[in-house]
């Protein structure tokens, strides 16, 4: 049994401690908003916040999350609310297939928590571990800058 | 109970109008655009229209969602079906109220005559004439949604992280499957050690798979299976450093695109050769499918295929089933840019589910399988030559392009064309890739015919009829390469003549829409400044017009700072949707142009992950500016593939303009630039 907090709720995971956190979240916990893209820590689709830091859940074993705080895309904002980054992505229509977006929004939320006034360069740097194949990068950057304005207000 | 008014439209008692379009969402936003068309033709509120994913059991067969044709092809019949539904309901209202149908209006889903009102839900119940026989409502319905930037209908789910992708599908009792692909394309299973009892192995010839109770269990099982298998391997691939020779070696099918009579005129001859490597789809999600065999022998399949009906036929053939016993339903996947692994993984799921004791099986490929086994866009090479007059204008043009074919979709050429089929005990080998016919816009020769008014042009395609590397449709097919080659060469001709590349093009171009698009892009980009590059094409010769201007930074590494594009797609259904498609196409084309190349040795594909097949990152992505040149009275054409070729050419031409290095072989990497300097 592994104890951890997921989206603010204390949980006990029964999967083998060596199981990738991604599989625990998507499988055992039914939180499918976190995506599998590569399993190689190379695309960012599976990013979650671990104690506030974006990490690749595909290569993070459950045991590493023991006693720690995990936040997934479903928990970026309380209940049915949207995090300002999520709202800004919708406002800017910064998505095509949307498969990359969960991980991107997790990276962006971590950035804004750390630095509520990032400039464009900081946003780009914070998202550089996330891949998007549909090419919505510039819309995403615009959206995150816009969300920063909201967060700062 | 929903009232089924046509094959495409049914109306529920709650007033929700379900529309099955037969086209599928590939991340391009087509369902939103079709919902706009449907809502306007119905006179309905967009919020009451629900788009239903394509399916073989209870949806129209509209073939593939491909070729930038969805709005052009699916729009008109959908509009007509919806207009008939509107007319039938209006007629019912008129009958009820004792007025003439002409006195009934409909707005936002409400029918009205004077003070009398009725809804779709009220009227649909009573419509008893077959709607197909009702004449479509006359006059154009009010355009409320068409032409406006309606937000994407699928995005809220995706932004909130709600289950929506096929990867999230969970059928009751579902098992998870993995396939152990051979280590290389020519490999055959030599030996399989007896699997331990707790390992649920499925084997058919060289096809090997395992089942597990969870994703993680399936992954672990796959690791154990890998250690039990021994393979016979052979070298079957060409030399990646000699693709030019490989593509020219034949055997070929010769494709006459433009045939010129007589001898070319005299004058100075200028010539050049261009190439592109094999390219991968490299979707951000690996391919995925689910399948369930029922006790009565029927098969249900969930897929992100571009063509559920074609896939159904291919599956039925490999599995020896009657097509009527196979149901194939679309569920959204990640971005699809052509014929990727979506169809292949559906067969994997069906083969694994056949051995699962009736439990459904959900299969997801690995990143490595996705990058090494899905079909590639073919490598290509082209020779261009021109005879020019004293002013440097073209008197005669000659173009020859060599390529593997660009289509090997399911059922193409009479074969199922599914990957696992080739590995079965009784194999269904996949054939060589072919090309679409001229009326479908060619394949290897797509956009090989120049749009310019050359007095004489000879254009020939040469398609390899043996294809050791599996190739099929990738966004824009041969157009990416052909436009890159033609538009690079136009630049070379302009520079040789000491003329401005934009003016040089305009001097050879009479099509007014083409001229307008070129000028708009140039003006918006501030043409005339040093270092800019331009590229232009009309996709397929009859699709969207698109011109691109690139602004770059280059020393040995090229960075694209800004792309300015002008595009004319005729009537625009959703302006922001078109912009998003053009922006995305431009960014992806930048990635192809600067970074991408499928790597292989003589035995296996070696670009297996994001390090060995790098794609453009946030820090490398250019700003993209899109100018829409509106022609509201001209029929809509698709926008998804229009930017690919023009962007490649614009970047290459900007490199030449900035650092005076002409790179003719893609991708334009540091090595390519050093190589071109010689
Ligand atoms: S899936 Fe974890 S980084 Fe790609
Ligand atoms: S929107 Fe499709 S990968 Fe980013």
């Amino acid at each position: 049994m592994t104890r951890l907090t997921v989206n603010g709720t204390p949980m006990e995971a029964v999967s083998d401690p060596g199981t990738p956190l991604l599989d625990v979240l998507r499988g055992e916990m039914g939180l499918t908003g976190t995506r599998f893209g590569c399993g190689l820590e190379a695309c960012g689709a599976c990013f979650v916040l671990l104690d506030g830091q974006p990490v690749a859940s595909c290569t993070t074993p459950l045991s590493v999350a023991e006693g720690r705080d995990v936040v997934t895309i479903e928990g970026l904002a309380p209940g049915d609310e949207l995090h300002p980054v999520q709202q800004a992505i919708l406002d800017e229509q910064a998505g095509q297939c949307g498969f990359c977006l969960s991980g991107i929004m997790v990276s962006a939320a971590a950035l804004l928590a750390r630095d509520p006034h990032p400039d464009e360069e900081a946003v780009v740097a914070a998202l550089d571990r996330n891949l998007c194949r549909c090419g919505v990068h510039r819309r995403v950057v615009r959206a995150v800058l816009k969300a920063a304005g909201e967060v700062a207000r | 109970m929903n009232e089924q008014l046509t094959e495409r439209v049914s109306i529920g008692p709650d007033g929700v109008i379900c529309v099955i379009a037969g086209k599928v969402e590939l991340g391009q936003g087509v369902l939103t655009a079709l919902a706009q068309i449907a809502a306007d033709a119905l006179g309905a509120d967009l919020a009451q229209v629900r788009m239903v994913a394509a399916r073989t059991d209870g949806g129209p067969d509209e073939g593939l969602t491909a070729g930038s044709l969805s709005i052009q092809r699916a729009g008109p019949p959908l509009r007509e079906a919806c207009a008939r539904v509107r007319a039938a309901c209006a007629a019912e209202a008129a009958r009820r109220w004792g007025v003439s149908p002409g006195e009934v209006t409909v707005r936002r889903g409400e029918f009205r005559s004077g003070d009398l009102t009725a809804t779709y839900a009220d009227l649909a119940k009573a419509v008893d004439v077959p709607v197909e026989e009702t004449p479509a409502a006359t006059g154009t319905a009010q355009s409320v949604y068409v032409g406006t930037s309606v937000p994407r209908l699928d995005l809220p789910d995706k932004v909130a992280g709600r289950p929506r992708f096929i990867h999230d599908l969970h059928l009751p009792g579902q098992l998870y499957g993995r396939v152990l692909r051979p280590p290389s394309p020519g490999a055959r299973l030599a030996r399989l050690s007896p699997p331990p009892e707790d390992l649920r192995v499925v084997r058919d010839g060289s096809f090997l798979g395992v089942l597990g109770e969870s994703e993680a269990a399936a992954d672990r099982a796959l690791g154990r299976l890998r250690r039990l298998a021994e393979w016979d391997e052979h070298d079957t691939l060409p030399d990646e450093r000699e693709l030019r020779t490989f593509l020219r070696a034949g055997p070929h099918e010769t494709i006459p695109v433009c045939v010129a009579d007589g001898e070319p005129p005299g004058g100075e001859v200028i010539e050049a050769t261009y190439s592109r490597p094999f390219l991968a789809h490299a979707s951000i999600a690996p391919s995925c499918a689910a399948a369930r065999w029922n006790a009565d022998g029927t098969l249900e399949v969930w897929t992100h295929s571009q063509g559920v009906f074609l896939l159904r036929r291919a599956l039925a053939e490999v599995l020896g089933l009657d097509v009527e016993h196979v149901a194939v339903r679309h569920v959204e996947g990640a971005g699809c840019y052509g014929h990727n692994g979506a169809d292949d993984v559906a067969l994997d799921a069906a083969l694994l589910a056949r051995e699962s004791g009736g439990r459904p099986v959900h299969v997801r490929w690995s990143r490595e399988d996705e990058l090494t086994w899905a079909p590639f866009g073919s490598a290509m090479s082209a020779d261009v030559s021109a005879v020019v007059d004293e002013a440097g204008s073209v008197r005669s043009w000659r173009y020859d392009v060599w390529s593997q074919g660009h289509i090997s979709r399911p059922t193409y050429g009479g074969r199922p064309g599914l990957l696992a089929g080739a590995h079965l005990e009784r194999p269904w080998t996949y054939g060589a890739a072919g090309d679409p016919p001229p009326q479908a816009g060619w394949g290897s020769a797509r956009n090989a015919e120049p749009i310019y008014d050359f007095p004489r042009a000879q254009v020939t395609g040469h398609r390899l009829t043996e294809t050791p590397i599996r190739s099929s449709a990738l966004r824009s097919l041969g157009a990416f390469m052909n436009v890159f080659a033609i538009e690079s060469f136009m630049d070379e001709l302009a520079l040789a003549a000491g003329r401005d590349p934009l003016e040089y093009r305009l001097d050879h171009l009479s099509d007014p829409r083409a001229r307008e698009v070129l000028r708009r892009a140039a003006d918006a980009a501030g043409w005339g400044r040093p270092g800019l590059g331009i590229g232009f094409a009309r996709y397929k010769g009859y699709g969207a017009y698109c011109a691109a201007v690139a602004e770059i930074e280059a020393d040995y590494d090229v960075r694209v700072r800004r792309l300015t594009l002008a595009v004319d797609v005729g009537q625009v259904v959703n302006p922001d949707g078109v912009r998003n498609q053009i922006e995305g196409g431009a960014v992806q084309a930048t990635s192809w142009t600067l970074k991408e190349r499928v790597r292989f040795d003589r035995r296996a594909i070696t670009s297996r992950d994001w390090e060995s097949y790098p794609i453009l990152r946030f820090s490398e992505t250019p700003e993209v500016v899109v100018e829409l040149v509106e022609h509201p009275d001209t029929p809509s054409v698709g926008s998804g593939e229009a930017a690919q070729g023009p962007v490649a050419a614009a970047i290459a031409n900007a490199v030449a303009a900035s650092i005076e290095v002409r790179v003719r072989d893609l991708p334009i990497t540091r090595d390519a630039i050093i190589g071109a300097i010689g």
Side-chain angles (χ1 to χ4, degrees):
Chain A
M1 200 87 86
T2 307
R3 288 175 207 279
L4 70 167
T5 304
V6 178
N7 297 332
T9 310
M11 305 279 262
E12 290 177 349
V14 297
S15 299
D16 182 278
T19 308
L21 180 58
L22 174 65
D23 290 325
V24 178
L25 293 169
R26 289 184 55 86
E28 196 182 323
M29 300 188 175
L31 294 168
T32 53
T34 305
R35 316 285 179 208
F36 173 91
C38 68
L40 306 165
E41 216 176 320
C43 76
C46 67
F47 279 8
V48 297
L49 298 178
L50 188 62
D51 290 341
Q53 293 301 317
V55 299
S57 63
C58 65
T59 51
T60 303
L62 172 60
S63 56
V64 168
E66 166 124 53
R68 300 171 72 180
D69 224 347
V70 176
V71 175
T72 69
I73 182 68
E74 292 95 338
L76 275 193
D80 285 340
E81 287 173 38
L82 294 180
H83 186 280
V85 167
Q86 291 172 298
Q87 187 59 51
I89 294 272
L90 279 180
D91 293 346
E92 293 294 319
Q93 291 287 292
Q96 283 190 25
C97 77
F99 201 89
C100 61
L101 289 178
S102 296
I104 286 176
M105 292 186 290
V106 163
S107 292
L111 168 71
L112 297 190
R114 179 172 88 231
D115 172 7
H117 302 284
D119 59 8
E120 186 172 324
E121 215 174 313
V123 171
V124 167
L127 300 180
D128 218 29
R129 290 199 296 150
N130 291 92
L131 297 179
C132 168
R133 185 53 158 169
C134 295
V136 298
H137 306 72
R138 298 307 305 178
R139 285 180 179 235
V140 167
V141 171
R142 267 204 313 274
V144 175
L145 287 170
K146 186 169 164 195
E150 297 293 315
V151 170
R153 198 175 306 150
Chain B
M1 241 331 261
N2 275 14
E3 294 297 328
Q4 189 77 41
L5 295 188
T6 71
E7 192 187 16
R8 295 160 194 277
V9 183
S10 66
I11 299 177
D14 51 359
V16 170
I17 305 175
C18 289
V19 176
I20 304 196
K23 292 294 175 189
V24 301
E25 183 60 52
L26 304 172
Q28 83 283 45
V30 72
L31 285 193
T32 304
L34 292 173
Q36 291 174 256
I37 290 172
D40 274 354
L42 287 160
D45 198 287
L46 188 64
Q48 75 184 123
V49 173
R50 185 112 347 124
M51 298 304 289
V52 180
R55 56 196 294 164
T56 59
D57 48 338
D61 181 358
E62 291 190 342
L64 289 166
T65 303
S68 297
L69 290 166
S70 298
I71 296 298
Q72 200 173 331
R73 296 266 170 84
L78 179 65
R79 192 177 282 128
E80 164 134 352
C82 291
R84 280 183 204 281
V85 167
R86 173 165 63 104
C89 290
E92 169 58 22
R95 191 192 59 76
R96 243 181 233 186
W97 298 332
V99 299
S100 80
E103 294 170 70
V104 179
T105 59
V106 58
R107 234 190 125 253
R108 299 247 146 168
E110 186 181 68
F111 291 83
R112 176 181 287 275
S113 175
D115 293 340
L116 301 164
T117 64
T119 63
Y120 265 109
D122 298 337
L123 297 167
K125 294 195 289 280
V127 169
D128 58 358
V129 283
V131 171
E132 274 72 18
E133 286 164 27
T134 316
T138 49
T140 38
Q142 253 183 324
S143 214
V144 177
Y145 300 108
V146 170
T148 68
S149 293
V150 165
R152 285 275 295 271
L153 301 174
D154 52 335
L155 210 50
D157 279 350
K158 293 169 176 177
V159 163
R162 285 191 280 269
R164 172 141 194 147
F165 292 107
I166 189 163
H167 308 80
D168 311 331
L169 189 70
H170 191 94
L171 301 163
Q174 161 175 307
L175 286 167
Y176 295 83
R178 295 287 184 265
V179 174
L180 179 64
R181 293 277 171 233
S184 55
R188 283 277 166 260
L189 185 63
R191 218 168 350 274
L192 183 69
S193 308
E197 232 160 63
D198 65 328
L199 201 58
R200 299 182 66 180
V201 175
V202 176
R203 178 180 178 181
D204 185 335
S206 288
F207 175 83
L208 277 178
V210 278
L211 298 169
E213 294 289 336
S214 67
E215 300 271 16
D219 282 331
R220 281 195 298 270
L222 180 66
R224 292 170 69 198
L225 176 61
R226 197 181 303 276
R227 292 193 286 277
L228 302 177
E230 281 174 53
W231 304 87
D232 270 338
E233 292 199 71
H234 305 281
D235 289 352
T236 57
L237 306 184
D239 184 342
E240 70 164 7
R241 290 159 309 179
E242 299 292 339
L243 286 182
R244 190 185 284 196
T245 316
F246 158 71
L247 291 166
R248 283 168 171 74
H252 290 116
E253 178 202 20
T254 303
I255 307 160
V257 180
C258 305
V259 181
D261 297 326
E263 288 298 305
E268 187 191 349
V269 178
I270 300 178
E271 51 195 5
T273 295
Y274 303 86
S275 75
R276 77 164 226 197
F278 284 94
L279 293 173
H281 295 266
S283 176
I284 214 73
S287 297
C288 181
R292 173 164 62 202
W293 288 82
N294 298 308
D296 60 1
T298 58
L299 171 68
E300 297 168 277
V301 173
W302 291 263
T303 175
H304 55 112
S305 168
Q306 289 176 277
V308 289
F309 284 88
L310 291 183
L311 175 58
R312 176 173 72 159
R313 262 171 46 209
L315 288 171
E317 179 142 33
V318 175
L319 299 165
L321 293 172
D322 191 310
V323 281
E324 296 304 323
H325 292 162
V326 183
V328 180
R329 300 171 192 139
H330 187 265
V331 186
E332 287 168 29
C336 166
Y337 321 104
H339 176 202
N340 55 23
D343 298 293
D344 296 327
V345 71
L347 176 58
D348 295 343
L351 290 169
L352 295 184
R354 195 162 61 177
E355 312 279 327
S356 69
R359 290 173 69 180
V361 176
H362 186 267
V363 180
R364 191 202 68 209
W365 279 10
S366 66
R367 172 51 47 196
E368 176 171 339
D369 286 349
E370 190 72 22
L371 285 172
T372 57
W373 284 102
F376 298 115
S378 178
M380 299 175 73
S381 179
D383 291 337
V384 204
S385 68
V387 180
V388 296
D389 63 20
E390 300 71 41
S393 295
V394 175
R395 276 188 175 148
S396 176
W397 174 272
R398 185 184 162 125
Y399 187 88
D400 286 90
V401 59
W402 286 267
S403 178
Q404 290 194 173
H406 290 260
I407 178 165
S408 60
R409 290 185 186 276
T411 76
Y412 184 86
R415 301 182 195 235
L418 299 172
L419 177 62
H423 301 144
L424 299 178
E425 183 73 50
R426 290 186 40 227
W428 291 87
T429 50
Y430 39 83
D435 273 336
Q439 61 275 17
W442 313 95
S444 305
R446 180 163 296 179
N447 277 87
E449 181 176 354
I451 191 171
Y452 299 104
D453 314 319
F454 299 143
R456 183 178 190 283
Q458 171 94 23
V459 176
T460 315
H462 309 266
R463 181 181 66 80
L464 278 174
T465 55
E466 285 164 17
T467 55
I469 292 188
R470 189 177 182 221
S471 62
S472 194
L474 173 66
R475 200 173 193 172
S476 86
L477 280 57
F480 174 69
M481 165 67 192
N482 291 323
V483 172
F484 162 68
I486 292 171
E487 289 293 294
S488 293
F489 195 60
M490 285 299 279
D491 239 60
E492 297 203 46
L493 293 179
L495 297 179
R499 288 158 68 179
D500 174 76
L502 170 66
E503 293 306 324
Y504 187 83
R505 283 173 173 77
L506 291 172
D507 289 342
H508 287 86
L509 192 56
S510 53
D511 181 330
R513 287 172 75 185
R515 295 176 65 89
E516 188 182 359
V517 162
L518 262 169
R519 283 200 193 284
R520 282 285 288 276
D523 288 348
W527 186 257
R529 289 184 289 142
L532 300 184
I534 195 163
F536 165 75
R538 182 179 194 189
Y539 186 51
K540 294 186 190 177
Y542 54 73
Y545 294 83
C546 180
V549 176
E551 192 179 330
I552 64 158
E553 259 168 35
D555 34 62
Y556 287 111
D557 290 306
V558 176
R559 214 185 102 90
V560 181
R561 295 202 58 84
R562 181 191 299 268
L563 292 168
T564 306
L565 295 102
V567 45
D568 171 358
V569 294
Q571 186 198 26
V572 176
V573 176
N574 186 321
D576 190 61
V578 172
R579 285 176 195 282
N580 205 347
Q581 278 298 296
I582 294 292
E583 289 168 21
V587 169
Q588 194 175 77
T590 303
S591 186
W592 292 356
T593 303
L594 295 185
K595 303 187 74 133
E596 295 183 35
R597 174 187 179 196
V598 172
R599 307 301 305 261
F600 45 91
D601 56 28
R602 303 306 294 261
R603 181 162 292 178
I605 306 295
T606 55
S607 41
R608 309 188 150 125
D609 54 27
W610 292 121
E611 273 84 49
S612 46
Y613 194 86
I615 63 171
L616 207 68
R617 291 184 171 274
F618 270 88
S619 54
E620 300 165 318
T621 304
E623 194 62 57
V624 185
V625 179
V626 179
E627 294 275 313
L628 292 185
V629 180
E630 304 239 16
H631 282 278
D633 300 327
T634 321
S636 303
V637 293
S639 58
E641 299 167 292
Q644 306 312 105
V647 164
I651 294 171
N653 292 336
V655 171
S658 301
I659 56 171
E660 293 179 15
V661 177
R662 176 63 62 179
V663 180
R664 300 191 182 91
D665 301 300
L666 296 177
I668 308 177
T669 57
R670 164 182 281 256
D671 287 351
I673 288 182
I674 293 169
I677 293 171

